[in-house]
Amino acid sequence: MAEFLNLVLNIDQSLGFWVAQYGAWIYLILGLIVFGETGLVVLPFLPGDSLLFIAGAFGATGLLDPVLLAALLIVAAILGNTVNYNVGRLIGPRVFSRDYRFLDRKALLKTHGFYEKHGGKTIVLSRFLPLFRTFAPFVAGVAGMSRLHFQMYNAIGAISWVCLLVASGYFFGNVPIVKEHLNTIVLIGVAAAAVPAALGVLWKLLHRKKADAA
């Protein structure tokens, strides 16, 4: 059991074994992993970016159908975020209607306002940030972000995330230097997505402080 769990957690490093072992079932397995990573807040540790990239590389070798792979993973990513959002939405009314010592209702109300204003950008950008993509849809649900607004950006984010990473793996995943330094490349990619987001938040905070001071 421990060995199987280790294989699941490191499937991005042993995908060849899974493809050989399970054949066409690998599409379902990959879909379930993407669904779990995006849809269940208790599973943020499952592989995401690197898995999509390597799956794309296998698509280039003919072992996987890249179009079918991308389509299934997009559906899995959308469904995962939808489940996560609905769980948050189910919990949300209780949070807003009751007083909990460990929760700041004012902060939650501010979060609600933030998601109504900037929720779309948050949902799309969080797709490219490990951990954030697991919790962003849950928080959107708790904050009461409108369902239509959420689903529109959920689909945009899922399509962008899956297509970009699978296509990158397809075209560059089998280049020797890329294969040797994959972890570094993934980290650079995450940083490239995180830095603009962090700068945006910092700019908003500074702008708000100046407005309050005035």
Side-chain angles (χ1 to χ4, degrees), residues 13 21 65-66 93 98 103 114-115 127 129 139 145 154 172 179 184 186 188 193 195 203 205 208:
Q13 299 170 26
Q21 191 78 7
D65 181 334
R98 299 180 188 177
L103 287 175
F114 174 85
Y115 265 84
R127 280 288 185 186
L129 301 171
V139 175
M145 182 179 177
N154 178 24
F172 306 110
K179 291 175 76 172
T184 303
V186 169
I188 291 171
V195 169
W203 171 257
L205 289 172
R208 186 178 298 172

Side-chain angles (χ1 to χ4, degrees), residues 34-148:
V34 168
F35 174 85
E37 197 236 0
T38 58
L40 304 173
V41 291
V42 295
L43 297 176
F45 49 80
L46 289 174
D49 303 307
S50 58
L51 179 61
L52 266 61
F53 186 89
I54 292 171
F58 272 82
T61 66
L63 291 173
L64 293 175
D65 181 334
V67 176
L68 176 61
L69 174 71
L72 289 174
L73 294 184
I74 287 169
V75 171
I78 290 173
L79 288 177
N81 262 19
T82 300
V83 168
N84 214 342
Y85 168 83
N86 283 324
V87 171
R89 199 171 176 87
L90 183 67
I91 294 171
R94 300 176 187 176
V95 172
F96 285 108
S97 61
R98 299 180 188 177
D99 287 319
Y100 293 97
R101 290 181 181 179
F102 54 89
L103 287 175
D104 185 342
R105 286 184 67 190
K106 288 183 179 179
L108 286 169
L109 288 169
K110 285 182 181 179
T111 303
H112 172 77
F114 174 85
Y115 265 84
E116 282 303 314
K117 262 189 170 183
H118 309 290
K121 289 180 285 186
T122 303
I123 295 302
V124 173
L125 286 174
S126 67
R127 280 288 185 186
F128 298 88
L129 301 171
L131 294 179
F132 284 94
R133 66 170 158 262
T134 303
F135 292 101
F138 176 78
V139 175
V142 171
M145 182 179 177
S146 68
R147 194 178 298 275
L148 182 62

